[in-house]
Structure formats: structure tokens, C-alpha cells
Amino acid sequence: PAPAPATYFQQRVPVPEDRNTNRISLRRLWAFTGPGFLMSIAYLDPGNIESDLQSGAKAGFKLLWVLLGATAIGLLLQRLAARLGVVTGMHLAEVCHRHYRTVPRILLWLMVELAIIGSDMQEVIGCAIAFNLLSSGRIPLWGGVLITIMDTFVFLFLDKYGLRKLEAFFGLLITLMAVTFGYEYVTVGPDQGQLLKGMFVPYCEGCGPVQLTQAVGIVGAVIMPHNIYLHSALVKSREVDRSNRKEVKEANKYFFIESSMALFVSFLINVFVVAVFAEGFYGRTNQEVFHVCNQTGSPHSHLFPLNNHTLEVDIYKGGVVLGCFFGPAALYIWAVGILAAGQSSTMTGTYSGQFVMEGFLNLRWSRFARVLLTRSIAVTPTLLVAVFQDVHSLTGMNDFLNVLQSMQLPFALLPILTFTSLPALMSEFANGLVFKVGGGVVVLIVCAINMYFVVVYVTELHSVWIYVTAAILSVAYLTFVGYLVETGHCFSFSQNGSRIVGNFSLVFHTLKRF
């Protein structure tokens, strides 16, 4: 039977010629514009928005420098992903399929799928909460979950109208987020001096374990593993003659410029959210918020207990407190921004899943079948919580999902760093010493952050069985990460570039035999 049509690549965007390569051509830049903005949507999903508002409420402006640093690291990783796709003509999952053995490859695929499903669950939660807020509670959370399932199928067929129209639609959703969260920013009017100090002074005065955990959460929320796979595939939508060295170099340059612009926009939107909650709600108590909500006649004042504990907010409570302090318009505009974040990121997440499945397993499913599978896996637990629990349980799932996605990061970082450092694969475009060392440092930092995140999360559960299970899983996790590091050192390609040779250490001998 004929294979199902490949998502997103039913047409290629032609790139106009420009003989003067010493200057930046706006016509050529416009032709390359699109993949970077689709990639940047992962930096604006509901999980990121919740991390932003909690950062502002718990630490004020003091962690903005962490957000800036995480976004800069994200840009460098996206640069590697784009270069791999442009230079090789293959995306990261396809390269993994060619160069890893069967068992490690399937394990790697499962890890990436876990990250995609976790992200998908956050997006469904965000959309369900947005529908609930927009309808003043008339649409229950489980109803919002069901609506999200149906409208995703509708939106996913937009690429039938052409690739550029699809990219324009995503651009519209990013614009909607910029306008809605920008409105909140202007309404609250944050202190610009404190904002700039928090962004460019890497210090957190008076911070404790709460702020440290939040800083770790920012890194985990911003750098998403499946986004590396996604971007390496999206860049293949442009017509680039890979046999022409100059054309490949030009494509790398324009994709980097476009990615920089896209992540700058996403960074500004994230700053809007952090600043709104830093200025409006940092240091406030539950009792203080309760009285303000009670005076304004808000039906949600019961969400805030009458005590002097520091206010804790999530996506749902964030909209409520904005409505209490700055009027109903602030609440509804917040909900529209969350809805745009959830809808856009859930579609790009589905594209990620399509590329990952096609690449790792060499399996081509129709979009309908692919969406049906991932949506079912993501929606089932979300729907059960929405039906049998309350909004607090639903938003509380985000903590677990952030830990889950943070744990999957090495399974994108190690392959992309390994393959973009191989001259046999990348020729003259292989990573230099600075990128190799810098990439290795980033991977070590990420692994350390992951271990810290897991220890903090697990110790709060107070269960011996969970401690034992987490310890066993941690050993297996670190073993697999070590295997990927080892193969990164041992990679050597035969002339057809499709085999691994080399001697692995005894620890990984069993895996190698598979």
C-alpha cells in the first residue's frame, strides 16, 4: 500500500536567489521564516506560562536572568537541530534510526514519546482551564478537555490549504499571545528598573529552597526535548541544494536569524507573564487576596484560605487574581492567551510525534491515526482527573509533568550533540571544540538539575515504596544516559555512513549484543 502522506512536507517553499551573499536579503529571510516560529511555540505552552507566573509570584523579578539564560541555551540547541536537518537532509529521529541499534533506538523513541505525551497533557489542561474561565464556569473542566480533543482534529487539517497559510495561522496565534499577555503587562505596569535588574544581574538576594526549585523548574519548562526533534524536521520544508556548499551555508545563516527572532518574541511574552505576577502578587498573602476578591464580588474568593501563608498561584488561580485586582477584562483576556498557548502548542506537539514515529520506527501513519493515539494516551488520565477531582488536582499534575519532561532532556541533547559533532556526517559544518565542550557542560548541568528535581519531588511524597522505585528507575536512567555518552565517544562511520563500530565498555555490553 502507498505510504500515508508525510505531515507538513506536501509542498516545499522555494528560496529566491541572491548573488550577493555578503548582505542579508529580506526576500530570502522571508522565505526561510516559518519553521523557527513554529518551534518557538513550545517555549510558550501552558507549562511554560505556569512556570512564569509561579516564578513571578514566588521570587519577583529575581529569576528573570534564569529565564534569559535558559532561552539562550535553547537557541544554541535549536541552531544545532536546524543545522543537522539542513546539512544532512534528515531530521534527528531519522539519523538516530540509521545509527543506533534496535533496542537503544526503541528505548530512545519511548523516552521522547513520554515527553510528547507529558507536554500534550499540559496543553489539554491549559485549554480546559481556559474554556472554564471564559465561560465563567459553565463549561466544566471535563467538557473543556473534550472540546480540546475535537478542535485539535479540525486545526490539524489546515495544512491542506498550503504550508505558508499554516505557518501564518501559527503566527496569528503567537500574535494573539503577545497582545493578550502584553495587555496584562501594560495594565499592571511593572517596575522597569527592577525588571532590568532581575534580567541582567545573575543573583537572587534572599532566596531559599522555594526559589531554587522554581529556578530549576524554569530550565525544565523552557528547554523541551521533543522540540529539538521537531525543529530538525521543520527546516526540511525549504528548497535547499545540499550539494551546493554555499547554499547550505546560507540556509544555516538564515535559519539561525529566524530562530533568534522567534525566540526573542517568545522570551518577551514569557517576560510579560513573569513581570505581571512579580509586580502584582509577589509577597501577597492568601488573606489579602481573599479580601480583595470578596470586595469585588468574585465568585472565586473561596480559592484563597483565610491565613497569612504566601499566595500560591497556577494557571487557573492566576486568571482569578488578575480578575480580582484588575477587573473582569483582565481575567477573560488572560484566558484567551492561555487558550492560544494551548491550541498552538498541542498542534506542534502532534507534528513532533509524527516526525518522531516516522523517524525512529520508519513507520508512516496518517495524521488522523497518529492524533487519535497520542490524544487518547494524553487525554485519558487528564479526563479522569477532570471528572473525579477538582481544578487543584488538574493544575497539580503540572508539577509531575514538568519533572517528567525535564527527565527526558538528555535523550534529545546527547544525540543532537553527538551527530552534529561528526565530520563524517556534517563535513565542514561539524561542531568545533567550543560547541563540543559547551554542549557537554550543558548536558552535565541538565542531568544535575534533573536529579535535584526528582529528589525534591519524590521526598515530598513520603512513601518508602516510591523511594525504592525511584532509586531503581534512577539507576536504569543513568545507565542509559551513560550508554548514549559512551556511544558518542565510540561513533565511527563506515563509507556508507550507516553502521556503528567501536568497543563499548563492559557496563553496556549486554545492550550492545541486542
Side-chain angles (χ1 to χ4, degrees):
T7 308
Y8 194 77
F9 299 132
Q10 293 176 351
Q11 69 176 100
R12 297 290 179 101
V13 176
V15 178
E17 291 186 11
D18 187 2
R19 294 180 180 177
N20 187 355
T21 58
N22 295 323
R23 64 181 179 86
I24 295 175
S25 164
L26 293 181
R27 288 177 65 241
R28 286 175 67 82
L29 180 59
W30 177 249
F32 283 106
T33 298
F37 281 91
L38 265 70
M39 165 274 295
S40 73
I41 285 170
Y43 291 73
L44 297 167
D45 73 342
N48 270 290
I49 301 300
E50 180 153 294
S51 174
D52 292 338
L53 65 90
Q54 288 176 345
S55 171
K58 292 178 180 178
F61 299 99
K62 298 173 188 174
L63 295 179
L64 277 174
W65 63 273
V66 178
L67 177 63
L68 177 62
T71 306
I73 291 172
L75 175 61
L76 295 178
L77 294 172
Q78 301 301 159
R79 173 183 178 268
L80 296 182
R83 284 169 74 89
L84 181 73
V86 171
V87 173
T88 67
M90 297 181 288
H91 57 73
L92 181 55
E94 290 173 325
V95 177
C96 289
H97 176 80
R98 290 195 176 203
H99 300 302
Y100 284 122
R101 293 177 180 272
T102 305
V103 170
R105 188 176 74 236
I106 291 177
L107 287 174
L108 202 54
W109 169 67
L110 289 172
M111 294 298 101
V112 179
E113 285 290 349
L114 269 178
I116 293 172
I117 291 167
S119 176
D120 212 20
M121 288 176 70
Q122 286 184 313
E123 290 144 12
V124 172
I125 291 168
C127 289
I129 288 173
F131 282 122
N132 184 268
L133 288 173
L134 286 171
S135 65
S136 300
R138 294 184 184 88
I139 298 177
L141 290 171
W142 60 266
V145 172
L146 293 176
I147 292 172
T148 305
I149 299 169
M150 293 182 288
D151 62 21
T152 300
F153 282 100
V154 175
F155 287 135
L156 277 171
F157 288 95
L158 284 173
D159 64 354
K160 291 288 186 184
Y161 296 98
L163 181 56
R164 295 299 266 175
K165 289 185 177 66
L166 174 71
E167 292 173 346
F169 177 72
F170 280 105
L172 177 64
L173 291 175
I174 293 173
T175 304
L176 187 59
M177 282 184 267
V179 170
T180 51
F181 296 132
Y183 169 86
E184 308 287 0
Y185 181 85
V186 172
T187 301
V188 175
D191 184 325
Q192 302 302 305
Q194 289 297 314
L195 187 149
L196 291 173
K197 179 183 176 184
M199 190 179 298
F200 296 109
V201 178
Y203 180 66
C204 190
E205 185 179 355
C207 292
V210 172
Q211 288 76 22
L212 177 60
T213 303
Q214 191 58 47
V216 170
I218 290 172
V219 177
V222 168
I223 305 172
M224 303 184 74
H226 62 276
N227 213 32
I228 307 293
Y229 290 87
L230 174 68
H231 198 197
S232 66
L234 294 178
V235 296
K236 293 169 58 181
S237 60
R238 269 49 183 179
E239 287 184 358
V240 177
D241 181 6
R242 292 189 297 107
S243 63
N244 186 328
R245 173 191 167 279
K246 186 177 292 186
E247 200 167 319
V248 170
K249 188 176 181 180
E250 281 283 290
N252 285 332
K253 178 180 76 174
Y254 281 106
F255 275 130
F256 181 67
I257 294 171
E258 187 239 0
S259 298
S260 302
M261 295 186 330
L263 289 190
F264 177 72
V265 171
S266 72
F267 174 70
L268 282 184
I269 295 172
N270 283 314
V271 167
F272 287 162
V273 178
V274 174
V276 164
F277 284 85
E279 182 69 32
F281 309 108
Y282 174 55
R284 291 192 184 273
T285 63
N286 285 321
Q287 187 169 336
E288 197 177 344
V289 175
F290 174 86
H291 288 310
V292 172
C293 288
N294 207 28
Q295 289 170 5
T296 57
S298 169
H300 304 290
S301 56
H302 66 279
L303 294 172
F304 310 100
L306 280 166
N307 59 43
N308 285 320
H309 295 169
T310 304
L311 174 68
E312 290 191 9
V313 286
D314 48 43
I315 290 178
Y316 185 78
K317 283 185 180 179
V320 170
V321 294
L322 284 171
C324 292
F325 280 77
F326 302 103
L331 185 153
Y332 292 118
I333 290 172
W334 169 261
V336 170
I338 295 297
L339 185 61
Q343 291 292 355
S344 56
S345 53
T346 200
M347 286 185 279
T348 53
T350 303
Y351 284 120
S352 300
Q354 185 89 11
F355 296 137
V356 164
M357 178 176 280
E358 290 175 0
F360 275 111
L361 305 182
N362 200 22
L363 182 65
R364 293 182 180 272
W365 284 17
S366 68
R367 275 168 301 185
F368 183 85
R370 170 70 209 179
V371 176
L372 192 63
L373 176 66
T374 53
R375 279 278 120 157
S376 300
I377 296 172
V379 161
T380 301
T382 312
L383 190 58
L384 289 173
V385 173
V387 171
F388 295 109
Q389 300 291 327
D390 54 15
V391 69
H392 307 296
S393 303
L394 201 60
T395 54
M397 288 176 69
N398 269 327
D399 294 332
F400 170 74
L401 294 172
N402 278 334
V403 172
L404 178 69
Q405 291 178 85
S406 183
M407 290 290 291
Q408 311 311 316
L409 272 174
F411 305 123
L413 302 190
L414 287 169
I416 194 66
L417 184 62
T418 296
F419 293 127
T420 54
S421 298
L422 293 172
L425 188 66
M426 299 289 290
S427 67
E428 65 183 280
F429 298 101
N431 294 333
L433 182 62
V434 172
F435 255 95
K436 288 178 183 177
V437 173
V441 170
V442 167
V443 171
L444 286 174
I445 291 172
V446 166
C447 286
I449 286 173
N450 286 344
M451 288 298 101
Y452 174 83
F453 218 167
V454 170
V455 169
V456 168
Y457 184 78
V458 169
T459 50
E460 290 176 353
L461 300 177
H462 305 296
S463 169
V464 175
W465 287 108
I466 291 177
Y467 295 162
V468 173
T469 305
I472 294 170
L473 291 176
S474 295
V475 170
Y477 172 84
L478 290 173
T479 300
F480 189 45
V481 170
Y483 170 80
L484 293 177
V485 172
E486 182 74 6
T487 53
H489 288 297
C490 297
F491 263 127
S492 170
F493 292 85
S494 62
Q495 287 184 350
N496 63 9
S498 62
R499 293 291 298 169
I500 304 170
V501 294
N503 296 316
F504 300 121
S505 64
L506 186 60
V507 178
F508 309 112
H509 181 66
T510 305
L511 268 177
K512 181 175 179 289
R513 289 177 59 193
F514 280 97

